[in-house]
């Protein structure tokens, strides 16, 4: 949507994002649409998606300080020219998400933001598992209870 960019933009849904850093590549990713970036939403996100005492880097937003309670949290107010050094994969993930939404759905409605985010994360987190897909589907077919029609 056109208009103000970033946090606090009117008519846009805030999204919390966590990206595992594996050196020169991104690991797993988690995204959650929230009503507002507040302590309660951040605490819920952390409980769902991060392991206890995991090392976490964030920007300096005050609502993220609650992460200190359960994680090894380091927050920095970072100038825009250095943000890629501090949070390297987050901005790449946001760019990939935007490309996915525009390329796959040609835009999105604001009605189901979490469903779009969940699909992106599902595909992203399984991008290296293509060779396993046939065996995983076969296993599901074997263990799945038959469907009876009467």
């Amino acid at each position: 949507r056109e208009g103000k960019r970033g946090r606090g933009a009117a008519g846009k849904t805030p999204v919390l994002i966590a990206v595992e850093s594996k050196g020169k590549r991104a690991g797993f990713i988690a995204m959650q649409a929230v009503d507002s970036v507040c302590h309660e939403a951040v605490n819920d996100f952390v409980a769902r998606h991060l392991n206890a005492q995991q090392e976490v880097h964030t920007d300096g937003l005050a609502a993220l300080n609650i992460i200190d309670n359960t994680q090894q949290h380091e927050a920095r107010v970072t100038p825009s020219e250095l943000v890629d050094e501090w949070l390297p994969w987050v901005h790449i993930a946001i760019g990939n998400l935007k490309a996915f939404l525009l390329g796959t759905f040609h835009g999105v409605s604001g009605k189901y933001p979490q469903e779009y985010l969940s699909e992106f994360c599902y595909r992203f987190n399984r991008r290296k598992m293509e060779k396993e897909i046939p065996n995983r589907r076969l296993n599901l077919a074997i263990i799945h209870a038959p469907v009876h029609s009467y």
Side-chain angles (χ1 to χ4, degrees), residues 73-86:
H73 177 230
E74 187 176 351
R76 282 189 194 167
V77 177
T78 311
S80 59
E81 63 271 5
L82 298 176
V83 75
D84 289 336
E85 292 176 20
W86 183 241

Side-chain angles (χ1 to χ4, degrees), residues 26-82:
F28 284 92
I29 191 170
M31 296 181 175
Q32 184 175 329
V34 294
D35 293 328
S36 67
V37 181
C38 61
H39 286 287
E40 184 179 321
V42 172
N43 202 33
D44 178 54
F45 180 80
V46 168
R48 283 182 173 193
H49 300 290
L50 302 180
N51 296 325
Q53 293 304 312
Q54 190 169 353
E55 184 178 331
V56 178
H57 294 182
T58 65
D59 63 9
L61 183 66
L64 301 176
N65 290 341
I66 196 162
I67 297 173
D68 289 334
N69 296 344
T70 56
Q71 310 299 316
Q72 296 176 29
H73 177 230
E74 187 176 351
R76 282 189 194 167
V77 177
T78 311
S80 59
E81 63 271 5
L82 298 176

Side-chain angles (χ1 to χ4, degrees), residues 101-141:
L101 294 175
L102 291 173
T104 305
F105 299 107
H106 308 290
V108 296
S109 78
K111 193 171 182 182
Y112 303 105
Q114 187 58 52
E115 283 75 6
Y116 295 117
L117 296 173
S118 296
E119 180 166 349
F120 173 77
C121 291
Y122 180 88
R123 290 182 184 204
F124 187 91
N125 291 337
R126 285 157 184 79
R127 69 195 183 281
K128 303 283 185 191
M129 299 179 187
E130 286 183 39
K131 292 179 182 176
E132 298 174 22
I133 290 173
N135 284 337
R136 292 177 75 182
R137 287 191 177 169
L138 189 58
N139 285 336
L140 286 172

